[in-house]
Amino acid sequence: MSDEEHQFESKADAGASKTYPQQAGTIRKNGYIVIKNRACKVVEVSTSKTGKHGHAKCHFVAIDIFNGKKLEDIVPSSHNCDVPHVNRTDYQLIDISEDGFVSLLTENGNTKDDLKLPTDDTLLTQIKDGFGDGKDLVVTVMSAMGEEQICALKDIGPK
C-alpha cells in the first residue's frame, strides 16, 4: 500500500445525463429529439416502408428550441435516438440590466442572474414594455442540454 494522496481532476458534472435514448419509431410529432447536437422539437415525422435490406426509416423534421433553425434527420426506426431532458421553470422578473441580463427570483428566494434577454423580438419588447410599465412579470425558462433561454411571459398584475 502506498502513502501517496491521489488527486483527481473532475471535469464532469454530477453524472446526470443531458439526454436519454428512445427508439426512433416511438418518437412522435411535438416530442423532442437531438439532431446535430442540438435540442429540437419535432414538427414532422414520416416513416418509410421496410425496404429490400430490412429497416424502415423515420424522417424527422424538427426546429431547434433555442435558435429556431430547421433541422432534418433520417434514422432507422429500430435504432435509438437521443432525446433531451427539457425542463420549464417559472421565475419572477426582478430587474433588467443595461447589458441585457435579467435578474430572476427563484422559488427558494435566491436570485438567478446568468440569463440574457431572449432574442425573439416580440417577446423581448413584451418583457421590456411590461417591466417599464411596472407590471409583475413571470418568465418561463426552458432548459435542455446545458442551455437555458426565456421562452414565455406571464403578466400577474401590477406591483
Side-chain angles (χ1 to χ4, degrees):
M1 296 284 175
S2 70
D3 294 331
E4 295 174 27
E5 289 280 327
H6 291 286
Q7 291 291 326
F8 295 103
E9 273 189 47
S10 176
K11 292 188 176 104
D13 51 14
S17 177
K18 294 177 173 81
T19 62
Y20 60 93
Q22 185 174 341
Q23 194 170 358
T26 63
I27 296 173
R28 299 282 172 244
K29 186 177 174 182
N30 293 331
Y32 295 101
I33 189 171
V34 175
I35 299 177
K36 294 182 184 157
N37 245 5
R38 303 289 300 161
C40 302
K41 185 169 189 157
V42 178
V43 291
E44 190 182 318
V45 181
S46 55
T47 308
S48 66
K49 289 188 174 159
T50 307
K52 188 163 102 178
H53 298 291
H55 300 285
K57 295 201 170 42
C58 294
H59 176 240
F60 295 105
V61 178
I63 294 178
D64 190 312
I65 60 177
F66 295 116
N67 63 23
K69 286 193 176 143
K70 189 180 194 180
L71 297 165
E72 296 186 45
D73 200 7
I74 297 175
V75 184
S77 62
S78 59
H79 289 201
N80 281 346
C81 290
D82 283 334
V83 176
H85 290 285
V86 178
N87 295 319
R88 288 172 171 259
T89 316
D90 288 347
Y91 298 105
Q92 188 169 352
L93 181 65
I94 301 171
D95 192 22
I96 301 174
S97 64
E98 282 88 44
D99 59 356
F101 281 89
V102 292
S103 187
L104 304 172
L105 183 68
T106 62
E107 280 185 10
N108 58 9
N110 295 333
T111 58
K112 180 175 179 57
D113 301 307
D114 59 346
L115 272 176
K116 273 188 165 293
L117 282 164
T119 52
D120 179 32
D121 288 333
T122 53
L123 189 58
L124 179 65
T125 52
Q126 284 178 339
I127 291 172
K128 283 187 170 177
D129 293 348
F131 187 74
D133 295 344
K135 293 181 179 171
D136 233 351
L137 301 175
V138 172
V139 294
T140 302
V141 176
M142 188 183 297
S143 61
M145 297 179 63
E147 269 187 82
E148 289 183 312
Q149 185 175 312
I150 296 171
C151 63
L153 173 71
K154 280 185 251 176
D155 184 354
I156 56 173
K159 280 187 180 169

